[in-house]
Amino acid sequence: EVQLVESGGGLVQPGGSLRLSCAASGFTFRSYTMKWVRQAPGKGLEWVSSITSSGIVRYYADSVKGRFTISRDNARNMLYLQLNSLKIEDTAMYYCAYDDRRGQGTQVTVSS
């Protein structure tokens, strides 16, 4: 059974940082490009970042470029997203995903 379990979300002030983690199981993690997507209240799903199977190539949405960093540990089947310089508009449920599958998400709330 495929499982993607996100953690690390929380409440943070503007300018703050968080590190999201995703524990993957039930599939050959090291073979897949992984991504983070998010959904803000009342809005659709937004792609945030992707990382290729080897971890060498990374892509970012313009809205997060220079502030967020995606990484992975294929030995531990883990995906990460470092969120720095957070803005109020980054408030959303964050999901790790591959193909058309995603986890239950972890909530990030940026508020003063």
Side-chain angles (χ1 to χ4, degrees):
E1 178 190 3
V2 171
Q3 285 197 321
L4 298 166
V5 181
E6 302 91 340
S7 61
L11 174 63
V12 63
Q13 292 186 340
S17 297
L18 285 172
R19 189 193 194 208
L20 307 185
S21 299
C22 173
S25 61
F27 66 105
T28 309
F29 178 79
R30 64 182 180 274
S31 297
Y32 286 87
T33 290
M34 297 295 297
K35 59 188 174 183
W36 288 94
V37 297
R38 66 185 181 185
Q39 188 165 25
K43 296 189 176 181
L45 211 56
E46 176 191 16
W47 169 76
V48 175
S49 181
S50 295
I51 185 167
T52 55
S53 57
S54 65
I56 293 175
V57 183
R58 312 174 192 199
Y59 304 93
Y60 298 95
D62 287 344
S63 59
V64 307
K65 199 172 294 182
R67 301 187 298 120
F68 292 7
T69 303
I70 191 171
S71 62
R72 67 191 295 162
D73 183 342
N74 284 345
R76 297 184 177 183
N77 287 1
M78 294 292 296
L79 179 72
Y80 305 101
L81 187 68
Q82 178 68 39
L83 289 65
N84 296 332
S85 302
L86 281 160
K87 304 176 180 180
I88 291 176
E89 52 264 41
D90 293 319
T91 295
M93 186 72 79
Y94 284 72
Y95 303 90
C96 78
Y98 80 102
D99 290 348
D100 60 350
R101 298 174 182 264
R102 56 184 164 109
Q104 294 299 305
T106 186
Q107 177 68 38
V108 171
T109 302
V110 185
S111 175
S112 55

